[in-house]
Amino acid sequence: MTLREECFPVASAPSRIVIATRQSALALWQAEHVKARLESLYPGLEVSLLGMTTEGDRRLGSSLAKIGGKGLFVKELEAALMSGEADLAVHSMKDVPVNLPDGFVIAAIGVREDPRDAFVSVHHASPEALPLGAVVGTSSLRREAQLRARLPGLRVQPLRGNVQTRLRKLDEGEYHGVILASAGLKRLGLEARITSLLSLEQSIPAVGQGAIGIETRAGREDLAALLAPLNHGETAWCVYAERSLSRRLLGSCTTPLAGFARIEAGEARISALVATPDGLRVARTEQRAPWSAGGAQALGEAAAAALERDGAREILASLEAGGGA
């Protein structure tokens, strides 16, 4: 009996899988990674990619906070799932809204790459080494808030585009340094461009950062069985805890919210932060609990409650009123 036959009956196994993906270099790397894993696990399974341009890709010159959020990167892929054009959609989990539309599920979350933020510069070793007034580029209000809180003398300017575009703008002198996700740089073979890594204390990652998620239509039990070996239990647990935190606080790309969970020696920990983009008002917490299989939601909600006690609701209210930018 083959591994494929052992996982589920041959009669119910799909013989062909179509993966919907964005067409950026990083998105294609992630989709190709999932494709290769499936082909390795199930010899004979035909796997192809359906490249798509999303609304978020078409509007790379605009701030995500102003045009509708990171959900703009997944809507077209979900439409392909719903129409039957595709069976799976592969996402960066940090781009997936915490409340999925009815009829969709995250069927698997792969092992997490390095979740930290990376500082990239041509002439400077770290953000701390930048001169007063130096310009740092980032697309993230979360990164901006934490950088401004630590180093208020820097100028933070928006930076959109794919990874290669952002690096080109740095090389052309538009910025003294830029901050990117280390996971994306490493997956694209650009680890050598990382000047320094920001510690988890310096810059708490985004919810889901570094993790790849696979979305399907609900009720596709054949796909659930197919994807089960791709799910990394520890990463999935941590991402669910982070998304629970974000869901309670209604976090989005318009909210400078950070959340990162990990499991160490049987203990689960989550670091979390809510701030104004200028970094002047910050609520921060770290919550710990003995790890248990069903405890992800409780840990995330405990962190959210701690942030609320530290003024998170007031910070969020100021952002909604336009007073936090």
Side-chain angles (χ1 to χ4, degrees):
M1 178 178 290
T2 68
L3 176 59
R4 187 176 177 188
E5 291 170 331
E6 187 176 349
C7 287
F8 47 84
V10 173
S12 66
S15 60
R16 180 173 183 268
I17 293 291
V18 178
I19 300 175
T21 175
R22 294 167 58 203
Q23 298 188 87
S24 71
L26 181 56
L28 288 171
W29 184 97
Q30 294 177 161
E32 289 283 4
H33 173 72
V34 172
K35 177 177 183 290
R37 288 290 313 279
L38 288 171
E39 290 173 338
S40 175
L41 284 166
Y42 310 111
L45 177 66
E46 180 184 347
V47 185
S48 60
L49 303 186
L50 173 64
M52 306 185 72
T53 300
T54 69
E55 182 69 12
D57 296 310
R58 287 190 288 270
R59 303 178 67 179
L60 285 176
S62 302
S63 166
L64 279 176
K66 295 179 179 178
I67 63 175
K70 292 182 176 180
L72 295 177
F73 288 125
V74 304
K75 289 181 180 178
E76 282 88 347
L77 306 188
E78 289 174 339
L81 295 180
M82 185 57 70
S83 69
E85 291 180 84
D87 303 285
L88 318 176
V90 175
H91 309 295
S92 295
M93 280 304 298
K94 68 183 181 63
D95 292 337
V96 180
V98 293
N99 293 311
L100 294 178
D102 290 342
F104 296 97
V105 296
I106 299 298
I109 296 177
V111 64
R112 194 172 219 158
E113 179 54 273
D114 187 338
R116 291 173 292 178
D117 289 324
F119 175 72
V120 183
S121 180
V122 177
H123 302 293
H124 305 280
S126 67
E128 290 77 10
L130 291 168
L132 289 177
V135 178
V136 179
T138 177
S139 62
S140 162
L141 293 180
R142 170 193 61 82
R143 292 178 182 137
E144 178 179 353
Q146 294 183 85
L147 185 64
R148 288 183 184 275
R150 284 197 306 118
L151 300 168
L154 300 179
R155 294 169 53 205
V156 182
Q157 297 292 338
L159 176 65
R160 290 290 312 280
N162 60 37
V163 172
Q164 290 82 355
T165 297
R166 298 182 196 193
L167 292 175
R168 175 179 55 78
K169 291 180 178 180
L170 169 70
D171 293 339
E172 292 174 350
E174 293 186 37
Y175 304 89
H176 293 89
V178 299
I179 301 178
L180 306 170
S182 64
L185 291 167
K186 291 180 177 182
R187 284 170 172 153
L188 290 174
L190 296 169
E191 185 173 2
R193 290 301 310 263
I194 297 175
T195 306
S196 62
L197 290 167
L198 303 185
S199 71
L200 298 175
E201 291 71 31
Q202 291 173 321
S203 188
I204 301 174
V207 166
Q209 185 160 313
I212 296 173
I214 305 174
E215 186 177 15
T216 69
R217 288 169 57 186
R220 289 292 306 269
E221 299 303 327
D222 56 336
L223 294 180
L226 190 84
L227 295 170
L230 275 64
N231 189 65
H232 186 254
E234 181 174 316
T235 299
W237 193 100
C238 292
V239 171
Y240 289 144
E242 296 160 15
R243 287 168 65 82
S244 177
L245 156 78
S246 184
R247 186 177 296 109
R248 172 158 170 168
L249 293 175
L250 300 178
S252 70
C253 70
T254 63
T255 306
L257 180 146
F260 176 66
R262 60 270 204 204
I263 301 169
E264 298 172 348
E267 180 183 63
R269 302 166 57 190
I270 185 168
S271 302
L273 172 146
V274 171
T276 54
D278 57 19
L280 294 178
R281 301 176 65 187
V282 179
R284 180 190 292 263
T285 189
E286 180 173 283
Q287 298 292 310
R288 304 179 181 222
W291 179 85
S292 66
Q297 180 175 341
L299 183 65
E301 292 185 349
L307 290 177
E308 289 171 336
R309 292 192 294 271
D310 197 26
R313 287 296 174 193
E314 290 76 11
I315 292 173
L316 294 173
S318 73
L319 295 175
E320 292 176 1

